[in-house]
PDB file of all heavy atoms in Angstrom:
ATOM      1  N   PRO A 265      -9.026   5.887  -6.202  1.00 89.00           N
ATOM      2  CA  PRO A 265      -9.648   5.294  -7.388  1.00 89.00           C
ATOM      3  C   PRO A 265      -9.807   3.786  -7.227  1.00 89.00           C
ATOM      4  O   PRO A 265      -9.018   3.145  -6.513  1.00 89.00           O
ATOM      5  CB  PRO A 265      -8.664   5.633  -8.515  1.00 89.00           C
ATOM      6  CG  PRO A 265      -7.358   5.838  -7.827  1.00 89.00           C
ATOM      7  CD  PRO A 265      -7.690   6.442  -6.494  1.00 89.00           C
ATOM      8  N   PRO A 266     -10.807   3.187  -7.874  1.00 90.00           N
ATOM      9  CA  PRO A 266     -11.001   1.738  -7.770  1.00 90.00           C
ATOM     10  C   PRO A 266      -9.924   0.979  -8.519  1.00 90.00           C
ATOM     11  O   PRO A 266      -9.230   1.527  -9.378  1.00 90.00           O
ATOM     12  CB  PRO A 266     -12.380   1.530  -8.409  1.00 90.00           C
ATOM     13  CG  PRO A 266     -12.504   2.666  -9.389  1.00 90.00           C
ATOM     14  CD  PRO A 266     -11.814   3.833  -8.745  1.00 90.00           C
ATOM     15  N   THR A 267      -9.779  -0.288  -8.182  1.00 89.00           N
ATOM     16  CA  THR A 267      -8.872  -1.160  -8.919  1.00 89.00           C
ATOM     17  C   THR A 267      -9.646  -1.837 -10.052  1.00 89.00           C
ATOM     18  O   THR A 267     -10.846  -1.616 -10.226  1.00 89.00           O
ATOM     19  CB  THR A 267      -8.272  -2.237  -8.004  1.00 89.00           C
ATOM     20  OG1 THR A 267      -9.322  -3.159  -7.624  1.00 89.00           O
ATOM     21  CG2 THR A 267      -7.687  -1.620  -6.744  1.00 89.00           C
ATOM     22  N   GLY A 268      -8.964  -2.697 -10.793  1.00 87.00           N
ATOM     23  CA  GLY A 268      -9.641  -3.434 -11.846  1.00 87.00           C
ATOM     24  C   GLY A 268     -10.562  -4.509 -11.310  1.00 87.00           C
ATOM     25  O   GLY A 268     -11.451  -4.983 -12.020  1.00 87.00           O
ATOM     26  N   ASP A 269     -10.368  -4.915 -10.046  1.00 91.00           N
ATOM     27  CA  ASP A 269     -11.221  -5.941  -9.430  1.00 91.00           C
ATOM     28  C   ASP A 269     -11.232  -5.711  -7.923  1.00 91.00           C
ATOM     29  O   ASP A 269     -10.400  -6.239  -7.187  1.00 91.00           O
ATOM     30  CB  ASP A 269     -10.691  -7.341  -9.759  1.00 91.00           C
ATOM     31  CG  ASP A 269     -11.555  -8.448  -9.168  1.00 91.00           C
ATOM     32  OD1 ASP A 269     -12.639  -8.138  -8.621  1.00 91.00           O
ATOM     33  OD2 ASP A 269     -11.151  -9.630  -9.248  1.00 91.00           O
ATOM     34  N   ASP A 270     -12.202  -4.933  -7.465  1.00 91.00           N
ATOM     35  CA  ASP A 270     -12.317  -4.640  -6.034  1.00 91.00           C
ATOM     36  C   ASP A 270     -12.900  -5.796  -5.238  1.00 91.00           C
ATOM     37  O   ASP A 270     -12.902  -5.756  -3.999  1.00 91.00           O
ATOM     38  CB  ASP A 270     -13.195  -3.397  -5.814  1.00 91.00           C
ATOM     39  CG  ASP A 270     -12.427  -2.103  -6.038  1.00 91.00           C
ATOM     40  OD1 ASP A 270     -11.203  -2.172  -6.277  1.00 91.00           O
ATOM     41  OD2 ASP A 270     -13.051  -1.028  -5.981  1.00 91.00           O
ATOM     42  N   ASP A 271     -13.416  -6.823  -5.914  1.00 91.00           N
ATOM     43  CA  ASP A 271     -14.050  -7.940  -5.213  1.00 91.00           C
ATOM     44  C   ASP A 271     -13.070  -9.054  -4.868  1.00 91.00           C
ATOM     45  O   ASP A 271     -13.456 -10.040  -4.241  1.00 91.00           O
ATOM     46  CB  ASP A 271     -15.187  -8.516  -6.065  1.00 91.00           C
ATOM     47  CG  ASP A 271     -16.319  -7.513  -6.251  1.00 91.00           C
ATOM     48  OD1 ASP A 271     -16.571  -6.743  -5.304  1.00 91.00           O
ATOM     49  OD2 ASP A 271     -16.929  -7.487  -7.341  1.00 91.00           O
ATOM     50  N   MET A 272     -11.813  -8.920  -5.281  1.00 92.00           N
ATOM     51  CA  MET A 272     -10.809  -9.932  -4.942  1.00 92.00           C
ATOM     52  C   MET A 272     -10.642  -9.999  -3.424  1.00 92.00           C
ATOM     53  O   MET A 272     -10.391  -8.985  -2.779  1.00 92.00           O
ATOM     54  CB  MET A 272      -9.477  -9.570  -5.595  1.00 92.00           C
ATOM     55  CG  MET A 272      -8.285 -10.388  -5.123  1.00 92.00           C
ATOM     56  SD  MET A 272      -8.296 -12.080  -5.744  1.00 92.00           S
ATOM     57  CE  MET A 272      -7.939 -11.781  -7.484  1.00 92.00           C
ATOM     58  N   PRO A 273     -10.810 -11.187  -2.810  1.00 92.00           N
ATOM     59  CA  PRO A 273     -10.675 -11.274  -1.352  1.00 92.00           C
ATOM     60  C   PRO A 273      -9.218 -11.088  -0.911  1.00 92.00           C
ATOM     61  O   PRO A 273      -8.293 -11.501  -1.610  1.00 92.00           O
ATOM     62  CB  PRO A 273     -11.173 -12.686  -1.034  1.00 92.00           C
ATOM     63  CG  PRO A 273     -10.990 -13.459  -2.305  1.00 92.00           C
ATOM     64  CD  PRO A 273     -11.193 -12.480  -3.422  1.00 92.00           C
ATOM     65  N   LEU A 274      -9.031 -10.473   0.265  1.00 93.00           N
ATOM     66  CA  LEU A 274      -7.689 -10.259   0.793  1.00 93.00           C
ATOM     67  C   LEU A 274      -7.201 -11.436   1.639  1.00 93.00           C
ATOM     68  O   LEU A 274      -6.021 -11.755   1.645  1.00 93.00           O
ATOM     69  CB  LEU A 274      -7.657  -8.991   1.655  1.00 93.00           C
ATOM     70  CG  LEU A 274      -7.588  -7.643   0.949  1.00 93.00           C
ATOM     71  CD1 LEU A 274      -7.455  -6.536   1.991  1.00 93.00           C
ATOM     72  CD2 LEU A 274      -6.443  -7.581  -0.030  1.00 93.00           C
ATOM     73  N   GLY A 275      -8.099 -12.038   2.369  1.00 93.00           N
ATOM     74  CA  GLY A 275      -7.693 -13.089   3.287  1.00 93.00           C
ATOM     75  C   GLY A 275      -7.408 -12.530   4.668  1.00 93.00           C
ATOM     76  O   GLY A 275      -7.134 -11.341   4.838  1.00 93.00           O
ATOM     77  N   THR A 276      -7.441 -13.403   5.665  1.00 95.00           N
ATOM     78  CA  THR A 276      -7.268 -12.984   7.050  1.00 95.00           C
ATOM     79  C   THR A 276      -5.873 -12.434   7.318  1.00 95.00           C
ATOM     80  O   THR A 276      -5.707 -11.428   8.008  1.00 95.00           O
ATOM     81  CB  THR A 276      -7.533 -14.167   7.997  1.00 95.00           C
ATOM     82  OG1 THR A 276      -8.846 -14.688   7.755  1.00 95.00           O
ATOM     83  CG2 THR A 276      -7.419 -13.730   9.457  1.00 95.00           C
TER      84      THR A 276
END
Side-chain angles (χ1 to χ4, degrees):
T267 69
D269 181 7
D270 280 355
D271 295 325
M272 169 73 70
L274 281 184
T276 303

